[in-house]
Amino acid sequence: MDIPESCIAQVFSFISPKDICRLALVNSAFRAASDSDTVWEAKLPRGYYSHIAGCVDGGSLQYTSKKELYFRLCRSIYLKNGIEKYWLDCPTGQECHILSARGLGITWGDDPRYWWWITHPDGSWFQEVAYLNQVCWFEVQGKFQHLFQPGAYTLSFRIQIAEGYGWDQAPVKFTLDTSNGCNKESRHFLRNNLSVPPANNIFSNLPQGRFVAGWMECDAGEFVVDDSEVPIDLHFSMAAYEVGNWKHGLLLDGVIIRSSNLLEQY
């Protein structure tokens, strides 16, 4: 007896997008069910309508089916006048966000004596990045609100040290505070050459960041979401001003927020 397409589609709505695409190759009935809006509506994140409305990639996002929309979001879109990039991890449907340096609060960021805004296409997520010319009081802060799905997430700063100096005197402090009670603080050494030890050996065992596609990712912290009905507010920062030495040569692409199991992929 043939299984109704609606029943197959209902089952598909409970499995991963990757497995749906695999099963679509089995037979024509599975292939037809895999195109159902019922299936892909279940894979789209809650609140996706607001993402479509806020898309700046040529106006409103056009699509003819929920499946088409899903795979369009996997290719990423720009939101909030271009200062946020958003996409879905294609195999799992998990959400990823990266906030541009332009959307962060950089102390002295509007003073060209200290910070420059430059075009840096080499592996950056945005066309424009923040370049630190020189500063003693180094501080970057930001905030973000989102209706996260249940799970563990990590917030990371994405940076480069381009022939910089002043970063080996003391570690940089990273903080993350969330509205559901998570408070994290960590310290990292920012160095463009990991083979050269820090000037102060007391800090030699501190984390040094994770290199992905030529950029260093320094984790401010991990937070866990249990309730998908309540938006989570994030407040985060990185700072180095206690020693008071001059620092130079840091490139800031932005802040990336994604599921902790995707850390090595994006």
Side-chain angles (χ1 to χ4, degrees), residues 66-107:
K66 296 298 175 61
K67 180 179 181 180
E68 181 182 352
L69 174 60
Y70 177 88
F71 285 102
R72 175 63 186 86
L73 292 177
C74 291
R75 299 200 303 270
S76 79
I77 58 175
Y78 286 96
L79 305 173
K80 300 177 182 177
N81 295 319
I83 64 172
E84 179 188 342
K85 193 170 187 178
Y86 169 86
W87 72 97
L88 302 178
D89 175 59
C90 197
T92 65
Q94 294 173 318
E95 296 178 286
C96 304
H97 310 259
I98 184 163
L99 313 179
S100 165
R102 275 291 188 190
L104 305 177
I106 302 176
T107 302

Short mmCIF file of all heavy atoms in Angstrom, two decimals, residues 66-107:
data_model
loop_
_atom_site.label_atom_id
_atom_site.label_comp_id
_atom_site.label_asym_id
_atom_site.label_seq_id
_atom_site.Cartn_x
_atom_site.Cartn_y
_atom_site.Cartn_z
N LYS A 66 8.91 27.20 0.45
CA LYS A 66 9.67 27.24 1.70
C LYS A 66 11.02 26.54 1.54
O LYS A 66 11.99 26.91 2.20
CB LYS A 66 8.85 26.60 2.83
CG LYS A 66 7.57 27.35 3.14
CD LYS A 66 7.87 28.77 3.62
CE LYS A 66 6.59 29.58 3.82
NZ LYS A 66 5.68 29.02 4.82
N LYS A 67 11.08 25.56 0.68
CA LYS A 67 12.36 24.90 0.41
C LYS A 67 13.33 25.88 -0.25
O LYS A 67 14.51 25.96 0.13
CB LYS A 67 12.15 23.69 -0.49
CG LYS A 67 13.44 22.94 -0.83
CD LYS A 67 13.16 21.73 -1.70
CE LYS A 67 14.44 20.95 -2.01
NZ LYS A 67 14.17 19.76 -2.86
N GLU A 68 12.85 26.63 -1.21
CA GLU A 68 13.69 27.62 -1.87
C GLU A 68 14.16 28.68 -0.87
O GLU A 68 15.33 29.10 -0.89
CB GLU A 68 12.93 28.29 -3.02
CG GLU A 68 13.76 29.32 -3.77
CD GLU A 68 12.96 30.00 -4.87
OE1 GLU A 68 11.81 29.57 -5.15
OE2 GLU A 68 13.48 30.98 -5.46
N LEU A 69 13.27 29.09 0.02
CA LEU A 69 13.64 30.07 1.03
C LEU A 69 14.71 29.52 1.97
O LEU A 69 15.68 30.21 2.31
CB LEU A 69 12.41 30.48 1.84
CG LEU A 69 12.66 31.40 3.03
CD1 LEU A 69 13.29 32.71 2.60
CD2 LEU A 69 11.36 31.65 3.79
N TYR A 70 14.54 28.26 2.37
CA TYR A 70 15.52 27.65 3.27
C TYR A 70 16.92 27.70 2.67
O TYR A 70 17.88 28.16 3.32
CB TYR A 70 15.13 26.20 3.58
CG TYR A 70 16.14 25.49 4.46
CD1 TYR A 70 16.04 25.54 5.84
CD2 TYR A 70 17.21 24.78 3.90
CE1 TYR A 70 16.97 24.91 6.65
CE2 TYR A 70 18.14 24.16 4.70
CZ TYR A 70 18.02 24.23 6.07
OH TYR A 70 18.96 23.62 6.87
N PHE A 71 17.05 27.25 1.44
CA PHE A 71 18.38 27.21 0.83
C PHE A 71 18.90 28.60 0.48
O PHE A 71 20.11 28.81 0.42
CB PHE A 71 18.36 26.28 -0.39
CG PHE A 71 18.34 24.83 -0.01
CD1 PHE A 71 17.16 24.09 -0.08
CD2 PHE A 71 19.48 24.20 0.45
CE1 PHE A 71 17.13 22.76 0.30
CE2 PHE A 71 19.46 22.87 0.82
CZ PHE A 71 18.29 22.14 0.76
N ARG A 72 17.99 29.55 0.28
CA ARG A 72 18.45 30.94 0.09
C ARG A 72 19.05 31.47 1.38
O ARG A 72 20.08 32.16 1.36
CB ARG A 72 17.27 31.81 -0.37
CG ARG A 72 17.63 33.30 -0.47
CD ARG A 72 18.72 33.55 -1.52
NE ARG A 72 19.15 34.94 -1.52
CZ ARG A 72 20.10 35.44 -0.73
NH1 ARG A 72 20.72 34.63 0.15
NH2 ARG A 72 20.44 36.71 -0.79
N LEU A 73 18.44 31.16 2.51
CA LEU A 73 18.98 31.62 3.79
C LEU A 73 20.30 30.93 4.12
O LEU A 73 21.12 31.48 4.86
CB LEU A 73 17.97 31.38 4.91
CG LEU A 73 16.69 32.23 4.86
CD1 LEU A 73 15.74 31.85 5.98
CD2 LEU A 73 17.02 33.72 4.92
N CYS A 74 20.52 29.76 3.60
CA CYS A 74 21.80 29.08 3.80
C CYS A 74 22.95 29.81 3.10
O CYS A 74 24.12 29.63 3.47
CB CYS A 74 21.73 27.64 3.29
SG CYS A 74 20.68 26.56 4.28
N ARG A 75 22.63 30.64 2.10
CA ARG A 75 23.67 31.40 1.39
C ARG A 75 23.96 32.74 2.06
O ARG A 75 24.81 33.48 1.61
CB ARG A 75 23.26 31.64 -0.08
CG ARG A 75 23.06 30.36 -0.87
CD ARG A 75 23.14 30.64 -2.36
NE ARG A 75 22.17 31.63 -2.78
CZ ARG A 75 20.93 31.36 -3.18
NH1 ARG A 75 20.50 30.09 -3.15
NH2 ARG A 75 20.13 32.31 -3.59
N SER A 76 23.24 33.06 3.12
CA SER A 76 23.41 34.25 3.95
C SER A 76 22.72 35.48 3.35
O SER A 76 22.61 35.63 2.13
CB SER A 76 24.88 34.58 4.21
OG SER A 76 25.49 35.22 3.11
N ILE A 77 22.24 36.33 4.24
CA ILE A 77 21.65 37.61 3.88
C ILE A 77 22.20 38.66 4.84
O ILE A 77 22.70 38.35 5.92
CB ILE A 77 20.11 37.58 3.97
CG1 ILE A 77 19.64 37.20 5.38
CG2 ILE A 77 19.52 36.64 2.93
CD1 ILE A 77 18.14 37.27 5.57
N TYR A 78 22.11 39.92 4.42
CA TYR A 78 22.52 41.04 5.27
C TYR A 78 21.27 41.67 5.88
O TYR A 78 20.27 41.89 5.19
CB TYR A 78 23.31 42.07 4.48
CG TYR A 78 24.71 41.62 4.14
CD1 TYR A 78 24.99 41.04 2.91
CD2 TYR A 78 25.74 41.77 5.06
CE1 TYR A 78 26.28 40.61 2.60
CE2 TYR A 78 27.03 41.34 4.76
CZ TYR A 78 27.29 40.77 3.53
OH TYR A 78 28.56 40.35 3.23
N LEU A 79 21.36 41.99 7.18
CA LEU A 79 20.26 42.59 7.92
C LEU A 79 20.72 43.90 8.56
O LEU A 79 21.92 44.20 8.60
CB LEU A 79 19.76 41.63 9.00
CG LEU A 79 19.34 40.22 8.55
CD1 LEU A 79 19.05 39.35 9.78
CD2 LEU A 79 18.12 40.29 7.65
N LYS A 80 19.76 44.66 9.08
CA LYS A 80 20.03 45.87 9.87
C LYS A 80 20.95 46.83 9.11
O LYS A 80 22.01 47.22 9.60
CB LYS A 80 20.62 45.51 11.22
CG LYS A 80 19.70 44.64 12.07
CD LYS A 80 20.33 44.24 13.38
CE LYS A 80 19.42 43.33 14.18
NZ LYS A 80 20.04 42.86 15.44
N ASN A 81 20.53 47.18 7.89
CA ASN A 81 21.29 48.12 7.07
C ASN A 81 22.71 47.62 6.77
O ASN A 81 23.64 48.42 6.59
CB ASN A 81 21.36 49.49 7.73
CG ASN A 81 19.98 50.14 7.84
OD1 ASN A 81 19.17 50.06 6.91
ND2 ASN A 81 19.71 50.77 8.97
N GLY A 82 22.87 46.32 6.74
CA GLY A 82 24.14 45.74 6.34
C GLY A 82 25.14 45.50 7.44
O GLY A 82 26.26 45.04 7.17
N ILE A 83 24.78 45.75 8.70
CA ILE A 83 25.74 45.56 9.78
C ILE A 83 25.62 44.18 10.43
O ILE A 83 26.38 43.87 11.35
CB ILE A 83 25.64 46.65 10.86
CG1 ILE A 83 24.28 46.60 11.55
CG2 ILE A 83 25.90 48.03 10.28
CD1 ILE A 83 24.18 47.52 12.76
N GLU A 84 24.69 43.36 9.99
CA GLU A 84 24.58 41.99 10.48
C GLU A 84 24.45 41.05 9.31
O GLU A 84 23.71 41.30 8.36
CB GLU A 84 23.37 41.82 11.40
CG GLU A 84 23.22 40.38 11.91
CD GLU A 84 21.92 40.13 12.67
OE1 GLU A 84 21.30 41.11 13.12
OE2 GLU A 84 21.54 38.95 12.80
N LYS A 85 25.20 39.95 9.36
CA LYS A 85 25.10 38.90 8.37
C LYS A 85 24.49 37.68 9.05
O LYS A 85 24.89 37.30 10.16
CB LYS A 85 26.47 38.55 7.79
CG LYS A 85 26.43 37.69 6.54
CD LYS A 85 27.81 37.60 5.90
CE LYS A 85 27.73 36.88 4.55
NZ LYS A 85 29.06 36.81 3.89
N TYR A 86 23.51 37.07 8.37
CA TYR A 86 22.74 35.98 8.97
C TYR A 86 22.65 34.84 7.98
O TYR A 86 22.45 35.06 6.77
CB TYR A 86 21.34 36.49 9.31
CG TYR A 86 20.35 35.43 9.69
CD1 TYR A 86 20.26 34.98 11.01
CD2 TYR A 86 19.49 34.86 8.75
CE1 TYR A 86 19.35 33.99 11.36
CE2 TYR A 86 18.58 33.89 9.10
CZ TYR A 86 18.51 33.46 10.41
OH TYR A 86 17.62 32.48 10.75
N TRP A 87 22.80 33.62 8.47
CA TRP A 87 22.61 32.47 7.59
C TRP A 87 22.26 31.22 8.42
O TRP A 87 22.39 31.21 9.63
CB TRP A 87 23.86 32.21 6.74
CG TRP A 87 25.05 31.67 7.46
CD1 TRP A 87 25.44 30.37 7.56
CD2 TRP A 87 26.04 32.43 8.19
NE1 TRP A 87 26.60 30.27 8.29
CE2 TRP A 87 26.99 31.50 8.68
CE3 TRP A 87 26.22 33.79 8.45
CZ2 TRP A 87 28.09 31.91 9.44
CZ3 TRP A 87 27.30 34.19 9.20
CH2 TRP A 87 28.22 33.26 9.68
N LEU A 88 21.81 30.20 7.69
CA LEU A 88 21.53 28.90 8.29
C LEU A 88 22.62 27.92 7.89
O LEU A 88 23.07 27.91 6.74
CB LEU A 88 20.17 28.36 7.83
CG LEU A 88 18.94 29.22 8.10
CD1 LEU A 88 17.70 28.53 7.53
CD2 LEU A 88 18.76 29.49 9.58
N ASP A 89 23.03 27.10 8.84
CA ASP A 89 23.92 26.00 8.51
C ASP A 89 23.12 24.98 7.72
O ASP A 89 22.13 24.42 8.22
CB ASP A 89 24.48 25.38 9.80
CG ASP A 89 25.31 24.15 9.52
OD1 ASP A 89 26.29 24.26 8.78
OD2 ASP A 89 24.95 23.06 10.04
N CYS A 90 23.51 24.73 6.48
CA CYS A 90 22.68 23.97 5.56
C CYS A 90 22.35 22.55 6.06
O CYS A 90 21.19 22.13 6.00
CB CYS A 90 23.33 23.91 4.18
SG CYS A 90 22.21 23.45 2.86
N PRO A 91 23.31 21.76 6.55
CA PRO A 91 22.97 20.39 6.97
C PRO A 91 22.06 20.31 8.17
O PRO A 91 21.31 19.34 8.33
CB PRO A 91 24.34 19.77 7.27
CG PRO A 91 25.33 20.63 6.55
CD PRO A 91 24.76 22.00 6.58
N THR A 92 22.11 21.32 9.07
CA THR A 92 21.39 21.22 10.33
C THR A 92 20.27 22.25 10.49
O THR A 92 19.36 22.06 11.32
CB THR A 92 22.35 21.40 11.51
OG1 THR A 92 22.88 22.74 11.48
CG2 THR A 92 23.49 20.39 11.44
N GLY A 93 20.34 23.37 9.77
CA GLY A 93 19.35 24.43 9.94
C GLY A 93 19.63 25.34 11.12
O GLY A 93 18.81 26.22 11.44
N GLN A 94 20.78 25.19 11.77
CA GLN A 94 21.11 26.03 12.91
C GLN A 94 21.48 27.44 12.45
O GLN A 94 22.12 27.63 11.42
CB GLN A 94 22.26 25.42 13.72
CG GLN A 94 21.87 24.10 14.38
CD GLN A 94 23.05 23.43 15.04
OE1 GLN A 94 24.14 23.38 14.48
NE2 GLN A 94 22.83 22.88 16.22
N GLU A 95 21.08 28.43 13.25
CA GLU A 95 21.28 29.82 12.88
C GLU A 95 22.69 30.31 13.22
O GLU A 95 23.26 29.91 14.24
CB GLU A 95 20.27 30.72 13.61
CG GLU A 95 18.84 30.46 13.21
CD GLU A 95 17.88 31.35 13.99
OE1 GLU A 95 17.67 31.07 15.19
OE2 GLU A 95 17.37 32.32 13.41
N CYS A 96 23.21 31.19 12.38
CA CYS A 96 24.51 31.83 12.60
C CYS A 96 24.35 33.33 12.38
O CYS A 96 23.66 33.76 11.45
CB CYS A 96 25.56 31.29 11.64
SG CYS A 96 25.78 29.48 11.70
N HIS A 97 24.98 34.11 13.23
CA HIS A 97 24.93 35.57 13.13
C HIS A 97 26.36 36.10 13.22
O HIS A 97 27.16 35.61 14.02
CB HIS A 97 24.14 36.20 14.27
CG HIS A 97 22.80 35.59 14.52
ND1 HIS A 97 21.62 36.17 14.08
CD2 HIS A 97 22.43 34.46 15.18
CE1 HIS A 97 20.60 35.43 14.46
NE2 HIS A 97 21.06 34.38 15.11
N ILE A 98 26.66 37.11 12.45
CA ILE A 98 27.90 37.85 12.66
C ILE A 98 27.58 39.33 12.58
O ILE A 98 26.91 39.80 11.66
CB ILE A 98 29.03 37.45 11.68
CG1 ILE A 98 30.31 38.19 12.04
CG2 ILE A 98 28.66 37.66 10.24
CD1 ILE A 98 31.57 37.59 11.43
N LEU A 99 28.01 40.06 13.59
CA LEU A 99 27.77 41.49 13.70
C LEU A 99 29.00 42.23 13.23
O LEU A 99 30.12 41.97 13.70
CB LEU A 99 27.44 41.88 15.14
CG LEU A 99 26.41 41.01 15.87
CD1 LEU A 99 26.22 41.50 17.29
CD2 LEU A 99 25.09 41.00 15.11
N SER A 100 28.84 43.16 12.31
CA SER A 100 29.95 43.94 11.79
C SER A 100 30.57 44.81 12.87
O SER A 100 29.91 45.22 13.83
CB SER A 100 29.45 44.82 10.64
OG SER A 100 30.39 45.83 10.33
N ALA A 101 31.86 45.11 12.70
CA ALA A 101 32.52 46.04 13.61
C ALA A 101 31.79 47.38 13.66
O ALA A 101 31.79 48.07 14.68
CB ALA A 101 33.98 46.24 13.18
N ARG A 102 31.14 47.77 12.55
CA ARG A 102 30.37 49.02 12.50
C ARG A 102 29.18 49.00 13.47
O ARG A 102 28.71 50.06 13.88
CB ARG A 102 29.86 49.27 11.09
CG ARG A 102 30.83 49.96 10.16
CD ARG A 102 31.06 51.39 10.56
NE ARG A 102 31.84 52.12 9.57
CZ ARG A 102 32.35 53.34 9.77
NH1 ARG A 102 32.14 53.96 10.92
NH2 ARG A 102 33.05 53.93 8.83
N GLY A 103 28.73 47.83 13.82
CA GLY A 103 27.60 47.72 14.73
C GLY A 103 27.99 47.59 16.19
O GLY A 103 27.14 47.36 17.04
N LEU A 104 29.29 47.74 16.49
CA LEU A 104 29.79 47.61 17.85
C LEU A 104 30.20 48.97 18.40
O LEU A 104 30.41 49.93 17.64
CB LEU A 104 30.99 46.65 17.88
CG LEU A 104 30.75 45.26 17.29
CD1 LEU A 104 32.05 44.45 17.32
CD2 LEU A 104 29.63 44.53 18.02
N GLY A 105 30.30 49.05 19.71
CA GLY A 105 30.74 50.29 20.35
C GLY A 105 32.23 50.25 20.60
O GLY A 105 32.70 49.57 21.52
N ILE A 106 32.99 50.97 19.78
CA ILE A 106 34.46 50.98 19.88
C ILE A 106 34.88 52.31 20.51
O ILE A 106 34.61 53.38 19.96
CB ILE A 106 35.11 50.82 18.50
CG1 ILE A 106 34.65 49.51 17.84
CG2 ILE A 106 36.62 50.87 18.61
CD1 ILE A 106 35.18 49.32 16.43
N THR A 107 35.54 52.24 21.65
CA THR A 107 36.03 53.46 22.29
C THR A 107 37.04 54.16 21.38
O THR A 107 37.99 53.53 20.92
CB THR A 107 36.68 53.13 23.64
OG1 THR A 107 35.72 52.47 24.48
CG2 THR A 107 37.18 54.39 24.33
#
